[in-house]
Coordinates of all heavy atoms in Angstrom, one line a residue:
L1 N 94.2 81.0 107.5 CA 93.5 81.7 106.4 C 92.6 82.8 106.9 O 92.5 83.8 106.2 CB 92.6 80.6 105.6 CG 93.4 79.7 104.7 CD1 92.6 78.5 104.2 CD2 93.9 80.5 103.5
L2 N 92.0 82.6 108.0 CA 91.2 83.7 108.6 C 92.0 85.0 108.9 O 91.6 86.1 108.5 CB 90.5 83.2 109.8 CG 89.5 84.2 110.5 CD1 88.3 84.5 109.6 CD2 89.0 83.6 111.8
L3 N 93.2 84.8 109.5 CA 94.1 85.9 109.7 C 94.5 86.6 108.4 O 94.5 87.8 108.3 CB 95.3 85.4 110.5 CG 96.4 86.4 110.8 CD1 95.8 87.5 111.8 CD2 97.6 85.8 111.4
F4 N 94.9 85.8 107.4 CA 95.3 86.4 106.2 C 94.1 87.1 105.5 O 94.3 88.2 105.0 CB 95.8 85.3 105.2 CG 96.1 85.8 103.8 CD1 97.2 86.6 103.6 CD2 95.2 85.5 102.8 CE1 97.4 87.1 102.4 CE2 95.5 86.0 101.5 CZ 96.6 86.8 101.3
N5 N 92.9 86.5 105.5 CA 91.8 87.2 104.8 C 91.4 88.5 105.5 O 91.0 89.5 104.9 CB 90.6 86.2 104.7 CG 90.9 85.3 103.5 OD1 91.1 85.7 102.4 ND2 90.9 84.0 103.9
I6 N 91.5 88.5 106.8 CA 91.2 89.7 107.6 C 92.2 90.8 107.2 O 91.8 92.0 107.0 CB 91.1 89.5 109.1 CG1 89.9 88.7 109.5 CG2 91.2 90.8 109.9 CD1 89.9 88.2 110.9
A7 N 93.5 90.4 107.2 CA 94.5 91.4 106.8 C 94.4 91.9 105.4 O 94.5 93.1 105.1 CB 95.9 90.8 107.0
A8 N 94.1 91.0 104.5 CA 93.9 91.4 103.0 C 92.7 92.3 102.9 O 92.8 93.3 102.1 CB 93.8 90.1 102.2
A9 N 91.6 92.0 103.6 CA 90.5 92.8 103.5 C 90.8 94.2 104.1 O 90.3 95.3 103.6 CB 89.3 92.2 104.2
A10 N 91.5 94.2 105.2 CA 91.8 95.5 105.9 C 92.7 96.3 104.9 O 92.5 97.6 104.9 CB 92.5 95.2 107.2
V11 N 93.6 95.7 104.2 CA 94.5 96.4 103.3 C 93.6 97.1 102.2 O 93.8 98.3 101.9 CB 95.5 95.5 102.6 CG1 96.2 96.2 101.4 CG2 96.6 95.1 103.7
Q12 N 92.7 96.3 101.6 CA 91.9 96.9 100.5 C 91.0 98.0 101.1 O 90.8 99.0 100.4 CB 91.1 95.8 99.9 CG 92.0 94.8 99.1 CD 92.9 95.4 98.1 OE1 92.6 96.3 97.4 NE2 94.1 94.9 98.1
L13 N 90.4 97.8 102.2 CA 89.5 98.8 102.8 C 90.3 100.1 103.1 O 89.8 101.2 102.9 CB 88.8 98.3 104.1 CG 87.8 97.2 103.8 CD1 87.3 96.7 105.2 CD2 86.6 97.8 103.0
L14 N 91.5 100.0 103.7 CA 92.3 101.2 103.9 C 92.7 101.9 102.6 O 92.7 103.1 102.6 CB 93.6 100.8 104.7 CG 93.4 100.5 106.2 CD1 94.7 99.9 106.8 CD2 93.0 101.7 106.9
L15 N 93.0 101.1 101.6 CA 93.4 101.7 100.3 C 92.2 102.5 99.7 O 92.4 103.6 99.2 CB 93.8 100.6 99.3 CG 95.2 100.0 99.6 CD1 95.4 98.8 98.6 CD2 96.3 101.0 99.4
V16 N 91.0 101.9 99.8 CA 89.9 102.6 99.3 C 89.4 103.8 100.1 O 89.2 104.9 99.6 CB 88.7 101.6 99.0 CG1 87.5 102.3 98.6 CG2 89.1 100.6 98.0
F17 N 89.2 103.6 101.4 CA 88.6 104.6 102.2 C 89.6 105.6 102.9 O 89.2 106.7 103.2 CB 87.7 103.9 103.3 CG 86.6 103.2 102.7 CD1 86.5 101.8 102.8 CD2 85.6 103.9 102.1 CE1 85.4 101.1 102.2 CE2 84.5 103.2 101.5 CZ 84.4 101.8 101.6
V18 N 90.8 105.2 103.1 CA 91.8 106.1 103.7 C 92.6 106.8 102.6 O 92.8 108.0 102.6 CB 92.7 105.4 104.7 CG1 93.7 106.4 105.3 CG2 91.8 104.9 105.9
F19 N 93.2 106.0 101.7 CA 94.1 106.6 100.7 C 93.4 106.9 99.4 O 94.0 107.6 98.6 CB 95.2 105.6 100.4 CG 96.1 105.4 101.6 CD1 96.1 104.2 102.3 CD2 97.0 106.3 102.1 CE1 96.9 104.0 103.4 CE2 97.8 106.2 103.1 CZ 97.8 105.0 103.8
G20 N 92.1 106.6 99.3 CA 91.4 106.9 98.1 C 91.8 106.2 96.8 O 91.7 106.8 95.7
I21 N 92.4 105.0 96.9 CA 92.9 104.3 95.8 C 91.8 103.2 95.5 O 91.6 102.3 96.3 CB 94.3 103.6 96.1 CG1 95.3 104.7 96.4 CG2 94.7 102.8 94.9 CD1 96.6 104.1 97.0
P22 N 91.2 103.3 94.3 CA 90.1 102.4 94.0 C 90.6 101.0 93.7 O 91.7 100.8 93.2 CB 89.4 103.0 92.8 CG 90.5 103.8 92.1 CD 91.4 104.3 93.2
F23 N 89.9 100.0 94.1 CA 90.3 98.6 93.8 C 90.1 98.3 92.4 O 90.9 97.6 91.8 CB 89.5 97.6 94.7 CG 89.9 96.2 94.6 CD1 91.0 95.7 95.1 CD2 89.1 95.3 93.8 CE1 91.4 94.4 95.0 CE2 89.5 94.0 93.7 CZ 90.6 93.5 94.3
L24 N 89.0 98.7 91.8 CA 88.7 98.5 90.4 C 88.5 99.8 89.7 O 88.0 100.8 90.2 CB 87.4 97.7 90.2 CG 87.4 96.3 90.8 CD1 85.9 95.7 90.7 CD2 88.3 95.4 90.0
E25 N 89.0 99.8 88.4 CA 88.7 101.0 87.6 C 87.3 100.9 87.1 O 86.7 99.9 87.1 CB 89.7 101.0 86.4 CG 91.2 101.0 86.8 CD 91.6 102.3 87.5 OE1 91.0 103.4 87.2 OE2 92.4 102.3 88.4
E26 N 86.8 102.0 86.6 CA 85.4 102.1 86.1 C 85.4 101.1 84.9 O 86.2 101.1 84.0 CB 85.0 103.5 85.7 CG 84.5 104.3 86.8 CD 83.9 105.6 86.4 OE1 83.2 105.6 85.4 OE2 84.2 106.6 87.0
G27 N 84.3 100.4 84.8 CA 84.1 99.5 83.7 C 84.6 98.1 83.9 O 84.3 97.2 83.1
E28 N 85.4 97.9 84.9 CA 85.9 96.5 85.2 C 84.8 95.7 85.9 O 84.0 96.2 86.6 CB 87.1 96.5 86.0 CG 88.3 97.1 85.3 CD 89.6 97.1 86.1 OE1 89.5 96.9 87.3 OE2 90.7 97.2 85.5
A29 N 84.8 94.4 85.6 CA 83.8 93.5 86.2 C 84.0 93.3 87.7 O 85.1 93.2 88.1 CB 83.8 92.2 85.4
Q30 N 82.9 93.2 88.4 CA 83.0 93.0 89.8 C 83.5 91.6 90.2 O 83.9 91.4 91.3 CB 81.6 93.2 90.4 CG 81.0 94.6 90.2 CD 81.9 95.6 91.0 OE1 82.3 95.4 92.1 NE2 82.1 96.8 90.4
W31 N 83.4 90.7 89.3 CA 83.9 89.3 89.6 C 85.4 89.3 89.8 O 85.9 88.3 90.3 CB 83.5 88.3 88.5 CG 84.0 88.7 87.1 CD1 83.4 89.4 86.2 CD2 85.2 88.3 86.6 NE1 84.2 89.5 85.1 CE2 85.3 88.8 85.3 CE3 86.3 87.5 87.0 CZ2 86.4 88.6 84.4 CZ3 87.4 87.3 86.2 CH2 87.4 87.8 84.9
L32 N 86.1 90.3 89.4 CA 87.5 90.4 89.6 C 87.9 90.4 91.1 O 89.0 90.0 91.5 CB 88.1 91.6 88.9 CG 88.3 91.5 87.4 CD1 88.7 92.8 86.8 CD2 89.2 90.4 87.0
I33 N 87.0 91.0 91.9 CA 87.2 91.0 93.3 C 87.3 89.5 93.9 O 88.2 89.2 94.6 CB 86.1 91.8 94.1 CG1 86.2 93.3 93.6 CG2 86.2 91.7 95.6 CD1 85.1 94.1 94.2
V34 N 86.3 88.7 93.4 CA 86.3 87.3 93.9 C 87.5 86.6 93.3 O 88.2 85.8 94.1 CB 85.0 86.6 93.4 CG1 85.0 85.2 93.8 CG2 83.8 87.3 94.0
L35 N 87.9 86.8 92.1 CA 89.0 86.2 91.5 C 90.3 86.6 92.3 O 91.2 85.7 92.6 CB 89.2 86.5 90.0 CG 90.4 85.9 89.3 CD1 90.3 84.4 89.2 CD2 90.5 86.5 87.9
F36 N 90.4 87.8 92.6 CA 91.6 88.3 93.3 C 91.7 87.7 94.7 O 92.8 87.2 95.1 CB 91.5 89.9 93.5 CG 92.6 90.5 94.3 CD1 93.8 90.6 93.7 CD2 92.4 90.9 95.6 CE1 94.9 91.2 94.5 CE2 93.4 91.4 96.3 CZ 94.6 91.6 95.8
A37 N 90.5 87.6 95.4 CA 90.5 86.9 96.7 C 90.9 85.5 96.6 O 91.7 85.0 97.5 CB 89.2 87.1 97.4
V38 N 90.4 84.8 95.7 CA 90.8 83.3 95.5 C 92.2 83.2 95.2 O 92.9 82.3 95.8 CB 89.9 82.7 94.4 CG1 90.4 81.3 94.1 CG2 88.4 82.6 94.9
L39 N 92.7 84.0 94.3 CA 94.2 83.9 93.9 C 95.1 84.2 95.1 O 96.1 83.6 95.3 CB 94.5 84.8 92.7 CG 93.9 84.3 91.4 CD1 94.2 85.3 90.3 CD2 94.4 82.9 91.0
M40 N 94.7 85.2 95.8 CA 95.5 85.6 97.0 C 95.5 84.5 98.0 O 96.5 84.3 98.7 CB 95.0 86.9 97.6 CG 95.3 88.2 96.8 SD 97.1 88.4 96.5 CE 97.7 88.7 98.1
N41 N 94.4 83.8 98.2 CA 94.4 82.7 99.2 C 95.3 81.6 98.7 O 95.9 80.9 99.5 CB 93.0 82.2 99.4 CG 92.3 83.1 100.4 OD1 92.6 83.0 101.6 ND2 91.3 83.9 100.0
I42 N 95.3 81.3 97.4 CA 96.1 80.2 96.8 C 97.6 80.6 97.0 O 98.4 79.8 97.5 CB 95.8 80.0 95.4 CG1 94.4 79.3 95.2 CG2 96.9 79.1 94.7 CD1 93.9 79.3 93.8
I43 N 97.9 81.9 96.8 CA 99.3 82.3 96.9 C 99.7 82.2 98.4 O 100.8 81.8 98.7 CB 99.4 83.8 96.4 CG1 99.4 83.8 94.9 CG2 100.7 84.4 96.9 CD1 99.3 85.1 94.3
F44 N 98.7 82.6 99.3 CA 99.1 82.5 100.7 C 99.3 81.0 101.2 O 100.2 80.8 102.0 CB 97.9 83.1 101.6 CG 98.1 82.7 103.1 CD1 99.2 83.3 103.8 CD2 97.3 81.8 103.7 CE1 99.4 83.0 105.1 CE2 97.5 81.5 105.0 CZ 98.6 82.0 105.7
V45 N 98.6 80.1 100.6 CA 98.8 78.7 101.0 C 100.2 78.3 100.6 O 100.9 77.6 101.3 CB 97.7 77.8 100.4 CG1 98.1 76.3 100.5 CG2 96.4 78.0 101.0
F46 N 100.6 78.7 99.4 CA 102.0 78.4 98.9 C 103.0 79.1 99.8 O 104.0 78.5 100.2 CB 102.2 78.7 97.5 CG 101.6 77.8 96.5 CD1 100.6 78.2 95.6 CD2 101.9 76.4 96.5 CE1 100.0 77.3 94.7 CE2 101.3 75.5 95.6 CZ 100.4 76.0 94.7
Y47 N 102.7 80.3 100.1 CA 103.7 81.1 101.0 C 103.8 80.5 102.4 O 104.9 80.4 102.9 CB 103.1 82.5 101.1 CG 104.0 83.4 102.0 CD1 105.2 83.9 101.5 CD2 103.6 83.8 103.3 CE1 106.0 84.7 102.3 CE2 104.4 84.6 104.0 CZ 105.6 85.1 103.5 OH 106.4 85.9 104.3

């Protein structure tokens, strides 16, 4: 899980800071980041 979370965080950081692709659109709630992380961890456990 640590390896997966480091990789997932690195992907999102590269998307935002290198490629300029925002994670959230303006006006979206910040809690979506937490929901996304939880869902990705659940998907990883199944994977």
Side-chain angles (χ1 to χ4, degrees):
L1 282 168
L2 183 65
L3 177 65
F4 173 72
N5 283 303
I6 289 171
V11 166
Q12 294 307 320
L13 290 173
L14 284 170
L15 287 172
V16 171
F17 295 112
V18 175
F19 295 107
I21 302 170
F23 184 74
L24 295 174
E25 300 294 327
E26 276 190 44
E28 290 183 343
Q30 298 295 320
W31 60 269
L32 285 175
I33 295 173
V34 175
L35 178 66
F36 177 76
V38 169
L39 290 175
M40 286 303 294
N41 277 288
I42 292 169
I43 289 170
F44 169 70
V45 169
F46 285 121
Y47 180 74

